[in-house]
Amino acid sequence: MTVPIAVVFIAVFAVVAILLRDSGTGVYFQVSDQVAMVGIGVLLALGVLWLTWPKVTADEAGITVRNLLGRTRYPWSAVVGISFPDGAAWARLELPDDEYVPVMAVQAIDGARAVAAIRELRGLHRAATGAGAAG
């Protein structure tokens, strides 16, 4: 869904940039203004596409969480559990000392897919540590 939105941003701002030259407002727009309008469309499109960046991958050894600003690998031994608190937008890894890491790739809006992903992650965690996962 984000790719079509990004394309619409670029298309709309490109059309606006083209139409700027023929504006009947009495203001004279230059080529630099047109380029800037297209640039704004590209920046907005990149911002929308950035929301698709989060990813989570897991295997027998650990879990890698890539959120908007970075990627971190955690061995299963460092993970206390995997939870999805009521009202939360996304899942989270429970770490020792009451710390946690958001897992933005598993979002509440995904419904059944989020439930399946949490079950799979909890299964991998249980298999690696022999412990139950946090609720």
Side-chain angles (χ1 to χ4, degrees), residues 14-131:
V15 168
V16 168
I18 291 168
L19 296 177
L20 276 180
R21 282 295 233 200
D22 297 329
S23 174
T25 62
V27 178
Y28 180 71
F29 291 101
Q30 303 203 8
V31 174
S32 62
D33 299 316
Q34 291 175 299
V35 171
M37 284 304 268
V38 173
I40 291 170
V42 169
L43 288 176
L44 289 172
L46 289 174
V48 167
L49 292 174
W50 189 32
L51 298 176
T52 65
W53 181 250
K55 180 179 179 181
V56 62
T57 54
D59 56 28
E60 304 81 28
I63 184 168
T64 302
V65 177
R66 183 176 74 190
N67 287 327
L68 294 177
L69 295 177
R71 178 178 61 165
T72 308
R73 174 94 174 151
Y74 299 94
W76 286 121
S77 60
V79 177
V80 174
I82 298 124
S83 66
F84 212 126
D86 288 338
W90 43 71
R92 64 189 197 181
L93 294 182
E94 302 291 340
L95 302 176
D97 299 326
D98 292 327
E99 293 185 29
Y100 67 89
V101 174
V103 181
M104 297 176 78
V106 182
Q107 299 185 9
I109 197 166
D110 292 335
R113 288 186 300 179
V115 171
I118 291 295
R119 286 183 179 152
E120 187 174 341
L121 290 173
R122 285 178 177 167
L124 284 168
H125 179 253
R126 224 178 353 265
T129 63

